Amino acid sequence: MKNRKKKELLMSEVRVRFAPSPTGYLHIGGLRTALFNYLYARHTGGKMLLRIEDTDRTRFVEGALENLLKALKWSGVEIDEGVMLDENGHVTEKGDCGPYIQSERVKAGIYDKYIDQLIEEGKAYYCFCSQERVDKVRDQMRADGLTPKYDGLCRSIPLEEAKQRVANGEEHTVRLKLPKDYDISFNDRIKGKITFNTDDQDDQVLIKRDGYPTYHFAVVVDDHLMGITHVVRGDEWISSTPKHVYLYEAFGWQAPEYIHLPTVLNKDHKKYSKRNGDGMVEDFIEEGYTPEGLINFLSLLGWSPDSEEEIFTMEELAKQFDFDRVNKTGAVFDKKKLDWVNGHYVRELSPEELAKDIKPYMIKAGLIDESYPEDKLVLLAETWQSAIDKFSDAPELAKNYYIKSDEIEYDDDAKEAISTENAKTLFAAFLNQLDQVDEIDADFAKSVMKTIQKETGIKGKDLWFPVRAAVTGSVHGPDLSNAFLIMGKDLVKDRLEYVRDNF
């Protein structure tokens, strides 16, 4: 009774899953796949599962699972069922369809009865060919202009003979026995009806020599047992889907709906690839992007809302999201667009929040240390907030407030501004004002330029450009009085004396 109720529950709701392999850091394309799964689950009132597919033990990376879960948690993509982090940051599982880690499912013997069923029904067979032979067969087919695939040599071995060879310890795999010249069709939610003929398909390995199921076998069994209703994944899996569809048919199970997402492309319109070292989520976190900014940007990577809006909260995305508005073609990862979107969220922060976020980057750049006054850091954040798109921008923008005077690189406009006769007059007047105070305070910072204007009669850009260029290294920039306060008397005085003596 309990199992029947569970099955009815699974069939009555949308159930999607993100099922990565723990082979390194989470790629940005993987995060987008997880996000689209999550948004659809929230849009429909369904469930989002996380399953770990670790049957390829040669590619397993220690610590990758924890990194993956931390990245998802940071992003705000919440897991309803499966593998997740508990409140103490430890890996745990939640749900009635576990284990949710495939290697644990192997140990539990979950796949055994299903592979036995296919073998007994003549829909799969034992293959004793060495990898060397398989490679030679494929190479020859390729040379002959044919689709490279296994030639089916072991298909004709009687089952009892094959079982005896297995019992004798002979190394083997188990392969899917595809029917000849058979059309396998499925409807993709984005791309429409897709048909493959089995003559162009390989007799896919289902169980490897090490006894582990391949992705193609385990994914079908797991998705069925976990009640997955919609398989949402990248379109690089389209060529594998007919094998999965045929396995569902072989078992007599109802296949889920398939949704293959357009590829994420780099600026050269090539795949934004993990193998090329592009786009690891960890890198975006380290660069100082906000989770809200990265998620908002990724949501628009291949999907468009039914409006001109581009800024969305996660809740707003879930309300609007549907696969009917997902593009069929690849989506270019535009870093400038990401910076623009993320900058919106940076500007929504209070100066106090931004100060806290930029502090580690300022320390790493060697511009400040842990003891740096909090009020100055808040003022720095307030000063540059409109120009910061990600937290790692802060050191480059503000470095001239901290480095030595002889380390500043003056551009042509700055050199021109600090080399005029007016400039010499202004610097002398400013230095005179500095000699009259112990330190620069808010009153001095706000009034000193007006005082110098009255004293020298110089005004407008002839007043501001030379002083700004001398103090900050540029004729352009944010509030100059804030620069005076952040830099303090000694550094401002040193800058003025340096340009006076060297230009």
Side-chain angles (χ1 to χ4, degrees):
M1 184 64 137
K2 183 180 178 183
N3 288 337
R4 191 176 74 186
K5 283 185 177 179
K6 174 183 162 186
K7 188 172 182 182
E8 288 173 354
L9 175 64
L10 296 185
M11 292 176 66
S12 66
E13 65 181 357
V14 166
R15 288 172 65 83
V16 296
R17 49 66 168 180
F18 180 50
S21 299
T23 56
Y25 289 110
L26 178 62
H27 185 257
I28 206 74
L31 179 57
R32 187 194 64 164
T33 299
L35 173 64
F36 281 21
N37 272 282
Y38 173 78
L39 292 176
Y40 190 64
R42 291 295 175 268
H43 181 75
T44 58
K47 291 288 192 298
M48 164 80 165
L49 283 72
L50 179 67
R51 185 174 69 233
I52 300 301
E53 299 187 340
D54 62 342
T55 57
D56 187 349
R57 305 306 289 174
T58 62
R59 298 177 62 223
F60 178 81
V61 174
E62 196 67 41
L65 174 56
E66 289 78 6
N67 289 329
L68 164 75
L69 295 174
K70 286 176 184 175
L72 288 175
K73 187 164 185 149
W74 172 86
S75 73
V77 173
E78 298 171 345
I79 307 304
D80 299 309
E81 185 179 321
V83 185
M84 59 187 72
L85 294 174
D86 64 19
E87 60 273 13
N88 298 314
H90 299 137
V91 178
T92 187
E93 293 188 20
K94 173 186 173 184
D96 299 326
C97 299
Y100 293 89
I101 298 176
Q102 281 186 341
S103 57
E104 295 299 319
R105 296 174 72 78
V106 172
K107 291 175 186 175
I110 288 172
Y111 306 106
D112 296 347
K113 72 173 183 177
Y114 297 103
I115 199 65
D116 289 346
Q117 177 184 337
L118 292 178
I119 291 170
E120 291 299 327
E121 293 177 355
K123 296 170 182 174
Y125 60 95
Y126 294 107
C127 176
F128 302 95
C129 293
S130 66
Q131 189 60 51
E132 182 181 13
R133 180 187 181 277
V134 172
D135 290 341
K136 283 182 178 179
V137 167
R138 286 178 175 162
D139 288 344
Q140 187 59 53
M141 286 184 171
R142 198 175 284 111
D144 294 340
L146 302 173
T147 301
K149 59 181 182 176
Y150 177 61
D151 60 358
L153 178 68
C154 294
R155 287 172 68 116
S156 59
I157 299 174
L159 180 55
E160 290 308 313
E161 179 187 331
K163 285 182 176 180
Q164 187 58 55
R165 291 172 69 173
V166 170
N168 292 338
E170 192 169 341
E171 194 173 72
H172 65 280
T173 60
V174 177
R175 289 181 178 273
L176 179 65
K177 186 183 284 186
L178 287 173
K180 299 293 185 183
D181 191 22
Y182 180 74
D183 283 340
I184 302 172
S185 298
F186 62 95
N187 287 305
D188 184 272
R189 179 78 168 266
I190 295 170
K191 302 176 186 298
K193 186 177 181 180
I194 299 175
T195 300
F196 290 82
N197 189 277
T198 54
D199 286 355
D200 299 321
Q201 301 291 308
D202 209 348
D203 276 1
Q204 182 67 46
V205 173
L206 303 179
I207 302 294
K208 295 176 285 188
R209 287 181 176 83
D210 61 7
Y212 270 76
T214 60
Y215 165 81
H216 301 288
F217 179 58
V219 73
V220 169
V221 173
D222 289 346
D223 282 346
H224 172 71
L225 295 180
M226 294 180 185
I228 301 303
T229 60
H230 298 72
V231 170
V232 184
R233 57 192 180 191
D235 61 9
E236 66 269 21
W237 292 107
I238 285 180
S239 61
S240 298
T241 303
K243 302 164 188 175
H244 305 165
V245 170
Y246 182 73
L247 271 172
Y248 275 99
E249 191 176 312
F251 281 120
W253 298 336
Q254 181 178 344
E257 183 170 2
Y258 287 98
I259 300 104
H260 290 95
L261 304 175
T263 305
V264 178
L265 305 173
N266 62 21
K267 62 182 180 181
D268 299 320
H269 289 256
K270 295 178 181 177
K271 186 176 179 181
Y272 199 64
S273 173
K274 185 175 182 177
R275 291 181 181 176
N276 295 334
D278 291 333
M280 311 310 291
V281 175
E282 189 76 14
D283 293 337
F284 290 95
I285 296 174
E286 288 182 6
E287 281 189 72
Y289 287 95
T290 66
E292 296 85 0
L294 186 59
I295 286 297
N296 193 153
F297 170 76
L298 286 180
S299 71
L300 301 173
L301 208 55
W303 172 80
S304 57
D306 189 17
S307 68
E308 296 300 315
E309 295 175 80
E310 294 189 283
I311 302 299
F312 298 92
T313 64
M314 189 75 92
E315 292 73 21
E316 290 167 342
L317 285 169
K319 188 175 181 180
Q320 286 206 37
F321 185 83
D322 197 273
F323 291 113
D324 294 341
R325 298 191 64 84
V326 173
N327 301 331
K328 293 182 180 180
T329 55
V332 175
F333 191 100
D334 184 346
K335 196 85 178 284
K336 288 183 179 178
K337 179 67 175 288
L338 169 60
D339 287 350
W340 178 83
V341 172
N342 197 72
H344 167 84
Y345 291 95
V346 171
R347 281 172 270 296
E348 284 196 331
L349 298 171
S350 69
E352 290 76 16
E353 289 170 325
L354 182 55
K356 187 191 234 180
D357 289 324
I358 66 174
K359 184 175 182 178
Y361 298 93
M362 297 293 290
I363 292 173
K364 186 178 179 181
L367 300 179
I368 66 173
D369 58 26
E370 286 288 354
S371 64
Y372 189 73
E374 185 178 345
D375 60 334
K376 280 196 174 186
L377 192 57
V378 171
L379 182 60
L380 180 74
E382 185 181 325
T383 302
W384 285 102
Q385 188 160 15
S386 63
I388 294 173
D389 291 326
K390 54 188 181 297
F391 304 137
S392 61
D393 290 343
E396 184 61 29
L397 289 168
K399 69 179 182 181
N400 285 359
Y401 290 3
Y402 298 91
I403 61 177
K404 295 177 181 178
S405 299
D406 59 4
E407 293 177 346
I408 291 183
E409 296 179 7
Y410 295 94
D411 60 25
D412 290 342
D413 288 342
K415 287 177 181 177
E416 182 181 344
I418 58 181
S419 301
T420 62
E421 283 304 314
N422 273 348
K424 305 293 184 185
T425 302
L426 292 170
F427 300 157
F430 204 125
L431 287 166
N432 180 55
Q433 291 296 318
L434 285 173
D435 286 340
Q436 298 176 42
V437 296
D438 295 327
E439 186 49 87
I440 293 176
D441 60 16
D443 289 338
F444 179 91
K446 290 184 182 303
S447 65
V448 64
M449 294 299 289
K450 190 172 286 188
T451 301
I452 293 171
Q453 179 183 332
K454 289 179 181 178
E455 183 180 324
T456 63
I458 301 170
K459 56 187 176 180
K461 68 178 183 179
D462 292 334
L463 169 71
W464 289 93
F465 277 19
V467 174
R468 183 185 289 280
V471 175
T472 70
S474 174
V475 296
H476 304 291
D479 192 333
L480 188 56
S481 64
N482 287 0
F484 299 152
L485 283 167
I486 293 165
M487 294 170 69
K489 175 183 174 179
D490 291 343
L491 186 52
V492 171
K493 182 178 180 180
D494 186 71
R495 291 284 167 81
L496 293 168
E497 290 175 342
Y498 176 79
V499 294
R500 179 197 64 191
D501 299 339
N502 290 276
F503 290 91

